[in-house]
Amino acid sequence: GEDVEQSLFLSVREGDSSVINCTYTDSSSTYLYWYKQEPGAGLQLLTYIFSNMDMKQDQRLTVLLNKKDKHLSLRIADTQTGDSAIYFCAERVGYIPTFGRGTSLIVHP
Amino acid sequence: KAGVTQTPRYLIKTRGQQVTLSCSPISGHRSVSWYQQTPGQGLQFLFEYFSETQRNKGNFPGRFSGRQFSNSRSEMNVSTLELGDSALYLCASSGSGRGLQETQYFGPGTRLLVL
């Protein structure tokens, strides 16, 4: 079956880089996504990567995909207090996406 | 361009009642998906509507149903509410629905509490 796993919490100092990790199980995933959820808000799509890519960079965000190990990571450079939120990893096989439980990123001064 | 709107934002119901939630997608979007978010189960896909037809369905009982109108607005209904239905219900819309990579835009959600 499909399962997406993430660690629950990550605490970083402002200005440092954050790396949020995710593992998934379905090797036939076509797209993998990172979403951000701030308190009281819905999910905001941050970035996605197609399964035939290894890396994607978008400003402060870098996504790395290791398809062999079914491991996805999101690196946020120069983390700011405004980056504090819950980050969800999701995989998609066909249309229906499967989400991880989310990683709470806490940024402290 | 207005974002995805959901009404109501908060709702309190009692067990056995039914509830209807509404979602208005971004203007021009034809695909609307519904998700349930709970601390225990995380974020789970309920169903997706495209051009007034249910195109995909998650693994939820028949008490959960939905529909989409000709203007792409969507409603979801939960009948015979159970305590476990307490959750944040999120709606997401996307454009034509033709691409799996198409960006889904989420609304702020409706928080349902069942007592």
Side-chain angles (χ1 to χ4, degrees):
Chain A
E2 300 169 7
D3 200 9
V4 178
E5 295 193 356
Q6 307 176 233
S7 53
L8 289 181
F9 297 99
L10 176 65
S11 178
V12 300
R13 194 181 300 275
E14 190 175 13
D16 287 351
S17 292
S18 308
V19 179
I20 303 171
N21 295 300
C22 167
T23 58
Y24 60 98
T25 57
D26 198 319
S27 58
S28 56
S29 296
T30 51
Y31 289 92
L32 296 125
Y33 303 83
W34 284 104
Y35 287 85
K36 176 183 180 183
Q37 186 177 34
E38 294 179 275
L43 271 66
Q44 172 195 355
L45 178 67
L46 287 177
T47 187
Y48 64 88
I49 189 167
F50 188 48
S51 57
N52 69 353
M53 297 168 65
D54 297 324
M55 186 185 91
K56 182 177 180 181
Q57 186 154 4
D58 184 1
Q59 298 181 341
R60 292 191 298 123
L61 305 178
T62 303
V63 178
L64 294 177
L65 175 61
N66 180 330
K67 204 173 176 185
K68 174 176 167 291
D69 295 336
K70 300 192 188 71
H71 182 266
L72 183 74
S73 68
L74 173 70
R75 179 177 179 269
I76 304 173
D78 188 25
T79 312
Q80 301 299 307
T81 54
D83 295 324
S84 294
I86 302 175
Y87 291 81
F88 291 89
C89 166
E91 66 171 344
R92 181 182 294 239
V93 179
Y95 181 85
I96 299 173
T98 302
F99 288 82
R101 295 297 184 91
T103 299
S104 290
L105 175 62
I106 301 159
V107 183
H108 54 89
Chain B
K1 206 177 202 184
V4 178
T5 58
Q6 293 186 244
T7 57
R9 291 293 311 276
Y10 303 92
L11 205 49
I12 300 175
K13 291 285 188 180
T14 56
R15 278 180 298 176
Q17 287 187 308
Q18 73 161 14
V19 67
T20 299
L21 312 181
S22 180
C23 171
S24 292
I26 290 172
S27 178
H29 282 189
R30 295 166 62 193
S31 170
V32 174
S33 297
W34 288 90
Y35 297 84
Q36 182 196 63
Q37 186 178 25
T38 61
Q41 299 298 319
L43 198 68
Q44 294 183 288
F45 173 78
L46 279 156
F47 30 65
E48 183 233 359
Y49 285 86
F50 180 75
S51 293
E52 302 179 64
T53 301
Q54 187 182 86
R55 189 165 64 169
N56 291 283
K57 189 176 189 306
N59 191 24
F60 276 81
R63 299 186 297 108
F64 292 81
S65 63
R67 59 178 174 168
Q68 186 180 33
F69 302 95
S70 58
N71 62 357
S72 293
R73 189 177 71 85
S74 177
E75 289 180 347
M76 69 162 278
N77 185 76
V78 187
S79 63
T80 320
L81 283 166
E82 300 176 0
L83 295 179
D85 297 332
S86 295
L88 179 67
Y89 290 88
L90 293 166
C91 164
S93 78
S94 59
S96 64
R98 63 178 180 270
L100 295 179
Q101 74 278 21
E102 197 168 57
T103 299
Q104 285 192 326
Y105 294 88
F106 281 80
T110 294
R111 188 164 295 280
L112 171 66
L113 177 62
V114 182
L115 301 176

